Amino acid sequence: MTEFVDKYRNELLLNVMPFWEKNSVDHQFGGFFSCLDRDGTVFDTDKFMWLQGRQIWTLSTLYNQVEENPVWRDMAEQGAKFILKNGRDAEGDWYFSLDRAGNPLVQPYNIFSDCFASMGLAALYKATGKEEYGKVAEDTFNRILERQHNPKGKYSKAYPGTRNLKGFALPMILSNLSLELEHIVGSATVETLIDEVIHEVMEVFYQPETGLIMESVNLDGSFSDTFDGRLVNPGHTIEAMWFMMDLAERRSDKALMTKCVDIALRALEYGWDEQYGGIFYFKDILNKPLLQLEWDQKLWWVHLEALVCMAKGWAYTGDPRCKEWFEKLDSYSFQHFADPEFGEWYGYLNRQGEPLLTLKGGKWKGCFHVPRALLKVYKTMETIPVYK
Amino acid sequence: MTEFVDKYRNELLLNVMPFWEKNSVDHQFGGFFSCLDRDGTVFDTDKFMWLQGRQIWTLSTLYNQVEENPVWRDMAEQGAKFILKNGRDAEGDWYFSLDRAGNPLVQPYNIFSDCFASMGLAALYKATGKEEYGKVAEDTFNRILERQHNPKGKYSKAYPGTRNLKGFALPMILSNLSLELEHIVGSATVETLIDEVIHEVMEVFYQPETGLIMESVNLDGSFSDTFDGRLVNPGHTIEAMWFMMDLAERRSDKALMTKCVDIALRALEYGWDEQYGGIFYFKDILNKPLLQLEWDQKLWWVHLEALVCMAKGWAYTGDPRCKEWFEKLDSYSFQHFADPEFGEWYGYLNRQGEPLLTLKGGKWKGCFHVPRALLKVYKTMETIPVYK
């Protein structure tokens, strides 16, 4: 695996991080620009809290895990300064977006803003030891736990009671978040949340008949034949599986590890576009027409999470199917998403694999999935080389 | 134009309406199924208020303008019965969607549900003379006027005051709605709303530098260099232009008519995909990356509204450019959207012009744009044949 260690480390440190270091800092108002065109030009100055928090996390994590580079720490801190000053409403909930100067644009209707703010500040606390970051990370985490059963609050458009579905995004992210905050909230909290998420993902959302994980199920775990209930997001399933693999490793649970590998491979086979290559963004489990007009597009994060998942599956278990899929995904991704000329990766390809948008960052894409995946792939292969 | 009169009348009466007559009525719970797959199979039973109201309008309008066919009137009435029983909350605002049995699913966050309910009931009142329909149409219209400056109410996610943009969808639809309710609300109300919408569309949202109409502008009418402010929706512009042409005709305003034709032609040239044909769904006026991942897709309603617009431009003014564009659009649309095998038209094509989804109806497509456009094209060419 040595070739991949070097390839992914070099891509991270030479082609991806320099793009963000050079182009994303707002030296006038603080915080990060995320709307960057192919060559790094800022094409819009709005600031989205998901991406502010995520970039703070990425920079801090690289500082914590790769190299104590003060450039990364200082960039993360200037981002933290901006969000701590402007990011929260009177209740301490995090806005969805701000304008360049930090004025709120969109209300805190989306609890994932809070998740990524907490995650970023927790990593920065680890990097700097400054109490303020740990304190706000923890307060935000507790507020998320309070809001978790009604995360959209008054902004929810669903009429209460008619159709009670539950989604697996929030339990997933909560257990991930608790791991990121283990140095702050303690292992007991983490273990409780892990018990819950393993049960939810592997037993409630997993459907044995199809071998797949649904995005939403009825409260009792049964299938809902509705637009939401029929939806499969292969990338999300695959991302969940590498996260579950880490939990299986943490607990030395071989049965769980095997099940994770099987589900991930099933989701890859199910999601792969045999005609043009790449993984579809969405599918309907009954092959009915989807609401998502972007269903056939190829998104960067889907492929990066799949690379992480297959790298971990390969390293943890030595399963040759994981090796094969890793190499297939590696080939597709570097051919279609990477941009050796300007750095960073394209985000959105059409079904045929051509860039649908020229952007490297936007409302939903920032300094996160690409560097995180490159880091995880090379660390996985470097530290757990079961098979060389 | 006789060939087109026959072609569009036959498509309406032989290929499109039979599809809805046969497949869309819910004989058990009342109302209409709109989620119909290629062959008319019901693939989902949720009921969306936009499409319930619009189908009532279409059926009633065909009854009023084409033929007093009791099948259409009775279908419209059973739909009206369903929405009058289930469609409104305690304030009289219309839900966005209901489940099959009529239980509310999504709250009244979207005022266009109210617009289409009012429009449908007003046409049904004309068809039947039954006071109840006229009364609810009028009450709903008045409630829309009350809500128009804060249409999303408590469901709005925008933080008040930071970025005040205005969109042209609501003024457009209000003046259209007032025309549809002229037999109920009277001509004085209509004329006032027409004055306002002509000013807004042709002077405020129209940008002389580009010759195009923006979806959103600052409150003073100036350009906003933001995601929303940069957005051009060529189909929406073109739809607005045939509506403005009708107002120009109503007022015998030749200068307005000429301006409408010029803007519509400009939007067509701007929106046309030279590589694959068809009109793009969205463009960014500064050619920056868009938020809309579906930007390059070819949507049914865009092409149908363009057909209506060029038919009217051709009939009202005799401009040969309108004739040329009409024929080009006619050729593209019948080749790519129409489905002679099962009736109705596909809704969503990929950039290359192939069906992206197999559906004939869904959450946003129902018995409306196809029949309305076919009706308007053939009526326009039949009744205003300036040039034969």
Side-chain angles (χ1 to χ4, degrees), chain B residues 179-210:
Chain B
L179 281 165
E180 290 287 339
L181 268 73
E182 192 160 7
H183 58 299
I184 298 172
V185 302
S187 293
T189 301
V190 176
E191 291 297 330
T192 307
L193 280 162
I194 288 176
D195 286 341
E196 194 179 310
V197 78
I198 291 176
H199 168 71
E200 287 288 310
V201 173
M202 305 306 281
E203 286 163 52
V204 178
F205 288 92
Y206 172 69
Q207 309 282 305
E209 314 80 55
T210 58

Side-chain angles (χ1 to χ4, degrees), chain B residues 45 84 94 115 214 319:
Chain B
T45 58
L84 288 171
W94 293 83
C115 294
M214 306 308 297
D319 191 317

Side-chain angles (χ1 to χ4, degrees), chain A residues 247-312:
Chain A
L247 300 182
E249 179 72 7
R250 177 184 171 112
R251 296 187 163 187
S252 305
D253 184 338
K254 283 196 179 168
L256 178 59
M257 185 70 81
T258 302
K259 193 170 174 186
C260 291
V261 170
D262 288 344
I263 295 175
L265 290 167
R266 166 80 179 114
L268 273 167
E269 280 155 19
Y270 177 75
W272 190 256
D273 180 354
E274 289 297 338
Q275 193 173 352
Y276 294 103
I279 303 163
F280 288 120
Y281 192 10
F282 294 108
K283 289 185 83 170
D284 182 288
I285 192 69
L286 301 182
N287 285 318
K288 294 180 175 184
L290 294 137
L291 289 181
Q292 289 76 10
L293 298 182
E294 65 274 29
W295 72 270
D296 71 346
Q297 297 174 12
K298 312 294 163 64
L299 268 67
W300 84 106
W301 69 266
V302 170
H303 296 76
L304 284 152
E305 298 307 325
L307 281 163
V308 174
C309 189
M310 289 298 103
K312 286 185 187 276

Side-chain angles (χ1 to χ4, degrees), chain A residues 44 109 115 131-132 175 249 252 298 317 320 322 339:
Chain A
D44 197 276
Y109 78 96
C115 294
E131 292 293 338
E132 184 190 6
S175 69
E249 179 72 7
S252 305
K298 312 294 163 64
T317 72
C322 295
D339 179 11

Side-chain angles (χ1 to χ4, degrees), chain B residues 165-172 200 205 214-217 219 236:
Chain B
L165 298 181
K166 60 177 180 179
F168 94 110
L170 195 53
M172 269 298 301
E200 287 288 310
F205 288 92
M214 306 308 297
E215 287 296 296
S216 305
V217 294
L219 293 187
H236 200 197

